[in-house]
C-alpha cells in the first residue's frame, strides 16, 4: 500500500515538473522573440513610406467663432399706469411702424380722476382769488393804520398758500392728463412683434411688458475673441456668416464694433458683426458661424496636416536624411487649416518629410520609398 502511494507521489511530481518546464520554455521563447523584434527595429528595419518636399504657398488664415443672431434693437413695450387691457391691435409676427397703436387700455377710472383734478384746480384758483382780494383789502387798511402789521402778514401768507395750492392742483391735473394720454400705447419705432405677453381683458401693472418689439431687418452676431486675435480685426471688415439651420448658407456681414476693454479674468473681447436681413431669411436666435479673414501670409513654408505626428503634446514631422533614416523633428506652427500647417520654425526649404507611413516610424528608423499606396497598408 505504501509502495502505491510512493509511486503516485512520484508521478504527480513528474507531471508538475513537466508543466513548469513547458511554461518556462514558452515565457523564455516570448522574451527572446520580443528581443529579436526590438533588435531588428533598432538595427534599422526598412519601412515603406511616401515622402514630399516642403513647399511654400500663400496662407490665408481664418478666424472662426460661434455666435447666436440677435436683433439690432428690441424693447418691451409697457403701460405707464395700472389698468385693464381693453384690446390689443397686434399679434406675434405682425410688422408695426413707428407711432402705430399697439394696445388701448380701459381708462374709465383715470378719466374720473382727471375730472376730479380739474375740480380741485378750479377750487384752488377760487381760493387764490379770494385770498388775493383779502390781501389787497388788508393792504389798504394797513396804509391807513387801521390794522396791525401782523394782520397784514397773515393775509399775505394765506395768499401765498393759495398760490401753492393752485400749482399743486395744476401738477396733479397734468399728471392725470399724461396718464390718460398713455391709455393708447403706440410703437416707438418700426419693428416686428416677437412676443405678446398679455391678452385683451388682462390687468397690467405699470412697467409690466405687454408686447416685445424687435427690429430684425438688421441682425447682430456677437463673437467672443481672445486678446491675441482682437489685433487682427478691423472696423468695417467684411466677414462671412454661415447658418447651419439654412443648410450652411453663406451671408455677408460687417464688423461694426470692437470692445474697447477686455472682459476679466478671461481677457476676451466682443466683436459685433452687423448682418443685413431685408428679406427676413435670418431669424433671431439662429446659431451662426462667423468666419473672419485676416491678412494673407505670402509664400509661407507649409506641410500637409496629415504629415504631423504628436509627441508629448508637440507636433512633429519625420524628416528624411541622406542615409535613408528619418529624424523626428518638433515644429513651431502658425496657422493650421484647409489641410495645411504653416511652419514657423523646425524646417527649411528643400527638406523632405514623410507624408504617409509615419505611424510605423520612430526616430532613427530606416525607410525606403514605397509604391503609391504601399505606405498606408
Amino acid at each position: 500500500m505504501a509502495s502505491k502511494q510512493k509511486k503516485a507521489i512520484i508521478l504527480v511530481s513528474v507531471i508538475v515538473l513537466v508543466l513548469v518546464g513547458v511554461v518556462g520554455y514558452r515565457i523564455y521563447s516570448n522574451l527572446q522573440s520580443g528581443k529579436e523584434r526590438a533588435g531588428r527595429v533598432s538595427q534599422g528595419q526598412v519601412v515603406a513610406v511616401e515622402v514630399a518636399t516642403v513647399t511654400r504657398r500663400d496662407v490665408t488664415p481664418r478666424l472662426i467663432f460661434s455666435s447666436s443672431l440677435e436683433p439690432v434693437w428690441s424693447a418691451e413695450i409697457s403701460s405707464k399706469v395700472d389698468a385693464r387691457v381693453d384690446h390689443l391691435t397686434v399679434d406675434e409676427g405682425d410688422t408695426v411702424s413707428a407711432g402705430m397703436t399697439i394696445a388701448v387700455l380701459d381708462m374709465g377710472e383715470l378719466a374720473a380722476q382727471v375730472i376730479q383734478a380739474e375740480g380741485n384746480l378750479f377750487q384752488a384758483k377760487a381760493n387764490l382769488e379770494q385770498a388775493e382780494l383779502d390781501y389787497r383789502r388788508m393792504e389798504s387798511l394797513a396804509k391807513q393804520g387801521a390794522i396791525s402789521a401782523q394782520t397784514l402778514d397773515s393775509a399775505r401768507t394765506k395768499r401765498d398758500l393759495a398760490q401753492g395750492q393752485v400749482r399743486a392742483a395744476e401738477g396733479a391735473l397734468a399728471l392725470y392728463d399724461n396718464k390718460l394720454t398713455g391709455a393708447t400705447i403706440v410703437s416707438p419705432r418700426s419693428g416686428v412683434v416677437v412676443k405678446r405677453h398679455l391678452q385683451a381683458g388682462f390687468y397690467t401693472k405699470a412697467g409690466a411688458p405687454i408686447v416685445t418689439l424687435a427690429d430684425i431687418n438688421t441682425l447682430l452676431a456677437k463673437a467672443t475673441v481672445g486678446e491675441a486675435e482682437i489685433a487682427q480685426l478691423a472696423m468695417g471688415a467684411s466677414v462671412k456668416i454661415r447658418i447651419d439651420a439654412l443648410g450652411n448658407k453663406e451671408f455677408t456681414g460687417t464688423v461694426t464694433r470692437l470692445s474697447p476693454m477686455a472682459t476679466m479674468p478671461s481677457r476676451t473681447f466682443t466683436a459685433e458683426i452687423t448682418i443685413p436681413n431685408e428679406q427676413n431669411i435670418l431669424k433671431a436666435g439662429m446659431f451662426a458661424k462667423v468666419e473672419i479673414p485676416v491678412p494673407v501670409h505670402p509664400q509661407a513654408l507649409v506641410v500637409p496636416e496629415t504629415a504631423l505626428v504628436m509627441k508629448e503634446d508637440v507636433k512633429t514631422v519625420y524628416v528624411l536624411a541622406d542615409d535613408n533614416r528619418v529624424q523626428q523633428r518638433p515644429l513651431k506652427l502658425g496657422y493650421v487649416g484647409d489641410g495645411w500647417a504653416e511652419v514657423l520654425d523646425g524646417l527649411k526649404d528643400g527638406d523632405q518629410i514623410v507624408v504617409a507611413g509615419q505611424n510605423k516610424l520612430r526616430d532613427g528608423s530606416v525607410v525606403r520609398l514605397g509604391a503609391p499606396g504601399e505606405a498606408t497598408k
Side-chain angles (χ1 to χ4, degrees), residues 61 78 85 94 105 108 141 175 184 221 227-228 249 260 279 288-289 340:
S78 59
V85 180
D94 289 350
L105 305 180
L141 292 173
L175 176 63
T184 301
E227 60 178 339
K249 189 172 182 179
Q279 304 300 320
K289 291 181 180 178
W340 296 93

Side-chain angles (χ1 to χ4, degrees), residues 70 79 106 120 129 133 150 153 166 198-199 203 209 215 243 258 281 296 308 350 352:
E70 303 176 10
S79 166
D106 181 3
N120 292 337
E129 185 177 356
L133 291 173
Q150 182 179 3
D153 291 342
V166 169
L198 297 176
Q199 300 281 359
Y203 194 84
D215 180 1
I243 309 297
L258 296 172
I281 299 175
V296 176
L308 299 176
Q352 286 192 311

Side-chain angles (χ1 to χ4, degrees), residues 36-276:
E36 291 176 2
R37 285 195 298 270
R40 288 196 299 270
V41 171
S42 62
Q43 293 171 7
Q45 183 181 9
V46 178
V47 180
V49 297
E50 293 182 24
V51 299
T53 302
V54 176
T55 60
R56 289 186 176 271
R57 58 181 293 164
D58 291 345
V59 174
T60 305
R62 293 177 300 160
L63 303 178
I64 299 179
F65 307 96
S66 298
S67 177
S68 292
L69 300 183
E70 303 176 10
V72 69
W73 170 85
S74 65
E76 292 181 338
I77 310 302
S78 59
S79 166
K80 298 178 181 179
V81 295
D82 299 349
R84 183 180 61 84
V85 180
D86 194 22
H87 64 273
L88 287 170
T89 62
V90 295
D91 204 345
E92 291 184 0
D94 289 350
T95 300
V96 299
S97 56
M100 177 178 170
T101 299
I102 293 175
V104 178
L105 305 180
D106 181 3
M107 290 284 99
E109 181 180 349
L110 190 57
Q113 291 175 331
V114 170
I115 295 173
Q116 184 179 13
E118 289 175 343
N120 292 337
L121 178 59
F122 289 146
Q123 182 179 358
K125 286 182 176 180
N127 292 339
L128 175 61
E129 185 177 356
Q130 182 62 51
E132 186 69 35
L133 291 173
D134 291 344
Y135 172 70
R136 290 177 182 177
R137 187 179 301 112
M138 294 299 175
E139 188 178 31
S140 177
L141 292 173
K143 289 179 180 179
Q144 299 174 11
I147 61 172
S148 64
Q150 182 179 3
T151 303
L152 178 62
D153 291 342
S154 179
R156 184 187 298 110
T157 301
K158 288 181 180 179
R159 184 200 61 180
D160 293 344
L161 287 174
Q163 287 177 338
Q165 290 173 350
V166 169
R167 294 298 301 273
E170 288 175 342
L173 178 59
L175 176 63
Y176 287 124
D177 275 337
N178 184 57
K179 289 183 176 181
L180 189 61
T181 303
T184 301
I185 301 172
V186 299
S187 172
R189 57 183 291 176
S190 299
V192 174
V193 179
V194 296
K195 187 172 183 180
R196 186 182 66 185
H197 300 274
L198 297 176
Q199 300 281 359
F202 278 62
Y203 194 84
T204 182
K205 303 288 287 183
I210 298 175
V211 298
T212 299
L213 296 180
D215 180 1
I216 59 174
N217 286 329
T218 303
L219 295 178
L220 292 178
K222 296 182 180 180
T224 301
V225 300
E227 60 178 339
E229 300 162 328
I230 191 70
Q232 302 183 60
L233 305 182
M235 294 286 290
S238 180
V239 302
K240 296 178 181 179
I241 295 92
R242 300 183 187 276
I243 309 297
D244 292 343
L246 300 178
N248 210 31
K249 189 172 182 179
E250 183 179 297
F251 298 83
T252 301
T254 305
V255 178
T256 52
R257 180 178 173 273
L258 296 172
S259 296
M261 185 174 69
T263 300
M264 303 299 289
S266 59
R267 297 186 185 277
T268 56
F269 297 80
T270 299
E272 286 188 4
I273 294 90
T274 301
I275 311 160

Side-chain angles (χ1 to χ4, degrees), residues 41 43-48 323-326 361 364-368:
V41 171
Q43 293 171 7
Q45 183 181 9
V46 178
V47 180
D323 58 356
N324 286 336
R325 292 182 181 273
V326 293
L361 302 177
S365 295
V366 178
V367 299
R368 64 177 177 84

